Amino acid sequence: MALERLKRLAQGFLPTPAQAAAIRWRTPAVVDRGRIGEARVALDRHGRGVLLWENAGKLWTMPMGPGASPALMRLPFGDGTTPRLALNPEGRGLAIWLADGEDERQILGAVLGPGESPGRSVFRTVGRIHQLQVAVDRRGNALVAWVHERVGQIEVMAHAFNTRGEAWDEAPVLLGLPGDPSASPQLAANRREHAMVVWEAQNSVFEGLMACHYWPADRIWSDRPVPVVAHAARHHQVAMDDSGNALALWVHAPYGQRSLLEASFYEALHGEWSEPVVLASAHVMSSPRLVMNGDGEALAAWSQRENAGVSRLLVKAFKGRGWEPGAECLDHGHEPVQDYAIDLAEDGRAGFVVVQRGATGDQVSVRIREDGWSLPRTMGSAPGSVCAAPRIALSPQGASLIWIQGEGDGRSLVLTDSH
């Protein structure tokens, strides 16, 4: 079995020394070619991890990071699409994905790390599944959230996996009825398995963001969702620290007015969300991202544009339960930004990868924040072609970047990591 082979290979990794301050990147390599779909990458605290991706309805996986074999070793993972991956600092985690049957669709899940198991059915339906997400705690317990769309009803659902019995709970839990398939629930969890799901709600009596909380001691979700903000909020993000405090970030765009980037802080001790604060305003605000580590440090990133001007990517830091003054521009040059990703490690290092379109094709570049943000470093380019779906994963002892290059059946999955 591919999972067993992956486990044996992971157990054979040698410990790696602490990484020097400056990341040394390997030469980017093509992992796979074909009709590449979604891809995910995750690292543990030693910089070792897993790459999981789809190619033409088949899933593949590969161990990676410092200590892994220099040779690229692809392992078949079965049929499926929409892979998702979560790995804790100890190297335990969960992979989930979607699989189609003759007359139904199901979510499948498989444990990664010690005690790996073959894929098991998590949820079956004749309806549609959107916004699939997964998170794991320090023991490897996992939570999965998704939108279930069926005739006449839209449901936000969640399911829990417990490592003690190596089993899923009896049935998924219905968290809310947002009424719109674009509700975009966002799952945030910490290493202690405190968690919440936040989604967009819009009906005749309420418009805004709603949250449902998970209590790990009793392994139950709150019996009713609570409001986060009571006005229109789009493109929201949510993240949580190891104390159970959380941040929510969203775009508020009143008709005919400037767009606002707003945020709210959830204080676990009192169980309350703060009044929203405005982080930025612009004619057009889009693509917000939010990352947070266990110590409560966070980064918010977003794109903004004034009228017909050039879009700029900005980042703002959160520390000590407050937003630091000012924001820093991260993109370079005047090339249009196609996509970007950001990550924040437990030691406070941050990484930013961006795809920009130039006159001769797309280019992928990266910046790393230690004492300050480094200068951009070009990691790859696609002369006469396109790049998409960049992702970055950081740990105290490693870093990995992936992106997809090309179009149609000629797409390539490209990887580079530290050494």
Side-chain angles (χ1 to χ4, degrees):
M1 295 293 293
L3 285 169
E4 182 63 26
R5 292 165 61 193
L6 182 60
K7 178 177 70 174
R8 290 198 302 266
L9 186 58
Q11 289 172 341
F13 287 163
L14 295 176
T16 56
Q19 177 173 310
I23 293 178
R24 297 177 297 160
W25 296 100
R26 300 181 194 268
T27 301
V30 173
V31 175
D32 200 4
R33 289 185 173 91
R35 202 159 71 243
I36 304 295
E38 295 188 57
R40 293 293 187 272
V41 59
L43 300 178
D44 67 13
R45 63 157 53 98
H46 303 294
R48 301 186 291 257
V50 178
L51 175 60
L52 178 65
W53 72 96
E54 179 216 342
N55 187 344
K58 303 286 186 181
L59 295 177
W60 297 83
T61 187
M62 188 180 75
M64 55 186 302
S69 169
L72 298 178
M73 296 186 63
R74 298 185 303 154
L75 303 173
F77 206 70
D79 296 337
T81 64
T82 322
R84 298 291 184 263
L85 187 63
L87 201 66
N88 68 15
E90 289 72 36
R92 298 204 62 165
L94 191 77
I96 58 171
W97 63 95
L98 298 181
D100 290 327
E102 292 184 1
D103 56 0
E104 67 177 8
R105 167 162 283 200
Q106 60 179 327
I107 300 173
L108 297 177
V111 175
L112 301 174
E116 285 179 355
S117 63
R120 298 179 183 177
S121 180
V122 177
F123 179 69
R124 296 175 183 267
T125 180
V126 295
R128 302 178 63 189
I129 298 170
H130 309 280
Q131 299 292 325
L132 186 62
Q133 297 162 74
V134 61
V136 295
D137 72 0
R138 66 181 184 272
R139 296 186 180 91
N141 299 319
L143 293 170
V144 179
W146 66 91
V147 170
H148 180 214
E149 182 179 355
R150 55 180 179 170
V151 177
Q153 189 158 286
I154 309 297
E155 303 170 329
V156 176
M157 305 193 73
H159 208 5
F161 175 82
N162 191 343
T163 56
R164 290 183 180 178
E166 294 294 328
W168 294 87
D169 287 354
E170 290 186 8
V173 176
L174 175 63
L175 302 183
L177 302 170
D180 190 329
S182 63
S184 301
Q186 297 292 318
L187 169 65
N190 64 17
R191 295 187 61 211
R192 299 175 181 175
E193 210 186 6
H194 291 93
M196 66 175 64
V197 174
V198 178
W199 66 90
E200 299 171 14
Q202 185 175 8
N203 53 45
S204 60
V205 296
F206 181 83
E207 182 177 21
L209 295 179
M210 301 294 289
C212 204
H213 295 256
Y214 183 76
W215 312 115
D218 301 312
R219 299 189 62 79
I220 60 172
W221 291 89
S222 50
D223 56 1
R224 65 176 65 89
V226 297
V228 177
V229 61
H231 61 231
R234 298 292 181 264
H235 313 299
H236 70 283
Q237 302 274 291
V238 62
M240 180 180 288
D241 68 16
D242 283 344
S243 297
N245 303 313
L247 281 171
L249 180 76
W250 65 87
V251 174
H252 178 46
Y255 180 77
Q257 302 179 41
R258 291 173 65 82
S259 295
L260 303 176
L261 182 72
E262 297 181 336
S264 178
F265 178 72
Y266 175 80
E267 187 173 10
L269 181 62
H270 298 103
E272 295 179 348
W273 289 93
S274 70
E275 288 296 317
V277 296
V278 176
L279 303 186
S281 68
H283 182 72
V284 177
M285 194 83 66
S286 62
S287 306
R289 306 280 194 270
L290 178 67
V291 288
M292 192 175 201
N293 65 20
D295 293 333
E297 181 182 359
L299 289 173
W302 68 94
S303 175
Q304 69 178 52
R305 176 173 59 84
E306 296 295 345
N307 297 317
V310 176
S311 294
R312 312 305 298 176
L313 282 175
L314 301 174
V315 65
K316 190 178 184 71
F318 179 91
K319 188 177 293 187
R321 300 195 176 190
W323 292 98
E324 297 189 347
E328 188 167 352
C329 184
L330 285 186
D331 62 304
H332 65 288
H334 297 282
E335 295 82 3
V337 172
Q338 303 303 302
D339 199 359
Y340 78 99
I342 193 166
D343 195 21
L344 180 64
E346 290 303 309
D347 61 359
R349 286 190 313 159
F352 166 81
V353 58
V354 61
V355 174
Q356 291 180 282
R357 179 150 298 168
T360 60
D362 285 359
Q363 178 175 284
V364 179
S365 60
V366 65
R367 299 181 70 172
I368 300 296
R369 188 200 71 176
E370 291 172 2
D371 295 331
W373 287 99
S374 68
L375 294 174
R377 172 171 174 171
T378 300
M379 305 304 294
S381 61
S385 188
V386 299
C387 297
R391 292 191 172 272
I392 181 169
L394 293 180
S395 82
Q397 296 189 30
S400 295
L401 298 178
I402 58 171
W403 66 89
I404 296 173
Q405 193 164 301
E407 298 178 282
D409 292 342
R411 303 178 93 192
S412 299
L413 177 61
V414 182
L415 161 72
T416 178
D417 57 6
S418 60
H419 63 95

